[in-house]
Amino acid sequence: MPVANPQLLAEKILERLRAKPGQLLDPGKMAKSLNAAREQIIESIALLRSWGYVIKANHKRQYRFIAAPDSFISTEISYRLRTRFIGKRIHAYQAVQSTNSIASQLATAKAPEGTLVIAERQTRGRGRLGRDWYSPEKVGLYASIILYPKIHPTAAPGLSLMTAVALADTIGSYDDMEVKIKWPNDVLVSGLKVAGILTELSAELDRIEYVIVGVGININQTRADFPDALKSVATSVRIGTKEKIRRVEFLQRFLANFEKEYLVFKKSGMKETRRKILKYSYLQNKEIRLKLGRKTVSGVVIDIDETGQLILDTKDGIMAFNAGEVTTH
Amino acid sequence: MREKTIKKLIRLVEESDIDQLEVTSWGRTVRITRRMSSRNGHSEQPATIQAVASPAPKPQPIEPVIPAVDSTPPAAEKKYIEIKSPMVGTFYSAPAPDAPSYVALNQKISVGQVVCIVEAMKLMNEIESEVAGRIAKILVENAQPVEFGQALFLIDPES
């Protein structure tokens, strides 16, 4: 019986083409071993090319894999993805208003844990409290992950910090990167924001319905790519490494780190996560101003506690905060 | 002073009949005061905590670490249904600082309608009403810290 699903067949062919670099594959032989018709193989090659894969044919009509596209299509994201459940289901889009909004809808419809929603572009990328996240095409990474952790809602904010750790580990795995986390979960390179995280919780009083972890990462922007308003505050992974990054590979590294940190967090709570948070802490011992609503408080950051709160030494004593806008002097 | 220690001290004050307790440790003073307030018709509320800088206490710009918590509705308001916070966090009445509030006093609301956001460490939790009815009371202010299980709204349910 021939393979019915064209995408599945195309992925199987791709797997073989990529098995050894430079290897030549004959469509007739491939058809035989994949239990498909020769025409189906030719069609699949055309399909792969339409997705952006570069596949060359020689004069004997043998195919050779040349290059994979650096775009967020499920075939490429899944290729050798080393996770057990994070990113195993993928909803990839060219453009969406916000990946978090789509993920919420999918979670309401009980999409499996670890489902990834990703888009090349967001038209209404969201940040905290109604702020925008600048989401231009082809250079960034905008994704949301659906989770159903069996933890108490009160422990859920730890997921927000745990995600920052996974992101910092990922960025730090590239050369020459000095990565920091600015409480609660902004990821900075050389003091400039490279990634933002927006986590959304849907919960009843004693039970989490779902958590959506949304990330926006500046990957391949050059300095000139940023709008003037962001030039002094934003950076990208590329600006840090001084070379273009393969976004799909970055995503795969992130998904693997995310799964690892998520499992650690579920097992031992904030204990391990906090140790890493403190290691990456940008604000430790810094004098800061924290704005919350219309109020502002100044103090020195002395700790981040077991629940993830920022501990400030202020003129009115030691205070703990679970929200607020932090600025350094 | 650690949060655990402070919580223990609060419990100590709550369980005793003393009105105020001041403890100094490592040069930091924490004063726990039992508040005698008639807010919400209460004659007594649990102890509140105030972090005080030594030597001179000053007015605080922002609510202290552990605010007073009281989610028990007054007897006269028994018919109301509470919307409670599922986590420790910060209460926001609107989706953005310059946006209108999700709900206003006396507004009619439906089941599943978002009434506010509670944030902690940039985890945003849109709180929905589980009942249809009318907002009878808004118990917290914008950007105020809230505790787990703290009542945020009183809803007069549709009969």
Side-chain angles (χ1 to χ4, degrees):
Chain A
M1 276 294 289
V3 183
N5 183 334
Q7 176 165 353
L8 216 64
L9 180 62
E11 285 175 359
K12 283 189 170 170
I13 293 167
L14 188 66
E15 183 72 43
R16 286 174 190 221
L17 285 168
R18 287 172 109 169
K20 266 187 254 158
Q23 118 167 319
L24 288 165
L25 284 176
D26 181 82
K29 280 183 191 157
M30 243 194 296
K32 218 172 176 187
S33 73
L34 285 168
N35 214 348
R38 194 175 182 277
E39 298 75 63
Q40 281 182 302
I41 302 295
I42 311 275
E43 277 165 27
S44 295
I45 297 285
L47 186 60
L48 287 168
R49 284 174 171 159
S50 76
W51 294 341
Y53 289 94
V54 184
I55 297 163
K56 281 203 172 149
N58 64 10
H59 62 283
K60 288 187 200 154
R61 295 228 162 246
Q62 291 171 315
Y63 293 112
R64 190 154 62 100
F65 174 83
I66 305 292
D70 187 24
S71 49
F72 294 127
I73 54 173
S74 64
T75 300
E76 192 53 21
I77 296 167
S78 310
Y79 182 71
R80 293 186 181 171
L81 174 66
R82 286 196 303 267
T83 58
R84 272 164 36 205
F85 60 98
I86 299 293
K88 286 295 177 186
R89 293 285 187 93
I90 299 166
H91 294 254
Y93 301 89
Q94 272 307 307
V96 296
Q97 289 198 340
S98 139
T99 55
N100 263 30
S101 306
I102 295 199
S104 292
Q105 290 166 20
L106 288 168
T108 309
K110 307 265 183 294
E113 176 158 74
T115 295
L116 175 76
V117 178
I118 188 158
E120 288 288 356
R121 187 163 68 91
Q122 291 188 113
T123 53
R124 289 178 66 185
R126 287 187 284 130
R128 182 178 164 268
L129 296 181
R131 277 191 221 108
D132 301 332
W133 182 265
Y134 171 65
S135 315
E137 199 165 7
K138 299 286 181 196
V139 290
L141 192 167
Y142 321 107
S144 301
I145 300 168
I146 299 172
L147 303 175
Y148 306 99
K150 288 185 183 65
I151 56 173
H152 195 273
T154 291
L159 293 166
S160 192
L161 305 183
M162 169 236 114
T163 305
V165 168
L167 259 181
D169 282 349
T170 307
I171 294 168
S173 71
Y174 288 86
D175 292 341
D176 300 326
M177 295 295 243
E178 201 232 304
V179 191
K180 292 280 174 195
I181 296 171
K182 183 183 164 197
W183 181 91
N185 64 8
D186 281 348
V187 183
L188 311 182
V189 168
S190 309
L192 301 172
K193 186 156 164 173
V194 70
I197 299 162
L198 182 68
T199 315
E200 292 180 280
L201 170 74
S202 175
E204 285 166 20
L205 205 53
D206 53 0
R207 195 180 63 86
I208 289 179
E209 233 172 297
Y210 60 82
V211 175
I212 305 296
V213 176
V215 294
I217 310 160
N218 302 327
I219 296 196
N220 276 331
Q221 282 97 333
T222 60
R223 277 237 179 278
D225 286 337
F226 287 108
D228 286 345
L230 295 179
K231 276 197 168 79
S232 61
V233 291
T235 189
S236 72
V237 182
R238 179 185 183 169
I239 293 168
T241 58
K242 295 177 186 70
E243 58 187 47
K244 210 170 165 191
I245 300 293
R246 226 179 106 71
R247 293 179 307 152
V248 174
E249 193 194 315
F250 185 98
L251 174 66
Q252 291 178 329
R253 287 192 199 184
F254 170 64
L255 294 174
N257 284 331
F258 183 88
E259 183 172 279
K260 193 177 105 209
E261 293 302 322
Y262 179 53
L263 292 173
V264 167
F265 177 77
K266 281 209 300 185
K267 196 170 156 232
S268 50
M270 272 295 282
K271 212 175 163 201
E272 274 299 296
T273 306
R274 176 169 172 257
R275 197 177 55 77
K276 283 192 151 184
I277 282 283
L278 290 172
K279 183 187 95 180
Y280 281 123
S281 180
Y282 176 73
L283 297 176
Q284 190 67 26
N285 300 324
K286 281 204 170 103
E287 209 177 313
I288 63 142
R289 283 156 67 86
L290 183 138
K291 192 168 169 280
L292 186 56
R294 278 165 302 179
K295 300 168 189 165
T296 302
V297 63
S298 301
V300 175
V301 174
I302 56 170
D303 201 3
I304 291 165
D305 75 7
E306 296 86 353
T307 60
Q309 297 188 103
L310 189 72
I311 310 297
L312 274 190
D313 187 356
T314 75
K315 64 178 171 35
D316 298 314
I318 309 284
M319 292 185 182
F321 295 92
N322 53 48
E325 218 60 45
V326 174
T327 45
T328 47
H329 293 286
Chain B
M1 205 173 296
R2 297 176 60 125
E3 194 181 312
K4 214 189 272 172
T5 318
I6 295 171
K7 278 183 177 155
K8 266 190 202 150
L9 292 173
I10 292 175
R11 212 167 303 133
L12 203 72
V13 173
E14 275 175 358
E15 286 165 2
S16 72
D17 53 4
I18 53 174
D19 289 336
Q20 191 166 315
L21 176 71
E22 206 172 294
V23 180
T24 306
S25 162
W26 296 90
R28 294 253 156 235
T29 305
V30 163
R31 185 194 303 147
I32 296 161
T33 318
R34 185 188 290 278
R35 200 191 289 164
M36 308 294 267
S37 134
S38 61
R39 194 163 62 103
N40 295 347
H42 279 245
S43 58
E44 196 177 277
Q45 288 198 328
T48 65
I49 173 185
Q50 210 180 352
V52 184
S54 337
K58 281 185 184 159
Q60 283 179 238
I62 289 194
E63 268 77 25
V65 181
I66 304 157
V69 178
D70 194 343
S71 57
T72 328
E77 293 171 349
K78 272 257 160 69
K79 61 171 181 150
Y80 294 141
I81 290 171
E82 296 176 325
I83 297 179
K84 294 179 184 176
S85 176
M87 61 182 203
V88 178
T90 299
F91 171 91
Y92 296 104
S93 54
D98 50 355
S101 292
Y102 283 107
V103 290
L105 197 63
N106 290 322
Q107 184 181 327
K108 285 197 104 178
I109 55 162
S110 50
V111 177
Q113 184 170 341
V114 175
V115 291
C116 66
I117 288 181
V118 174
E119 172 190 12
M121 276 63 83
K122 237 159 125 185
L123 174 118
M124 317 303 281
N125 186 5
E126 285 187 342
I127 310 288
E128 297 172 0
S129 177
E130 284 171 19
V131 293
R134 183 184 59 83
I135 304 275
K137 202 159 201 170
I138 302 172
L139 302 168
V140 280
E141 277 174 42
N142 191 45
Q144 181 188 319
V146 294
E147 289 292 306
F148 167 70
Q150 181 174 349
L152 309 172
F153 298 90
L154 293 183
I155 308 298
D156 187 2
E158 257 170 21
S159 44

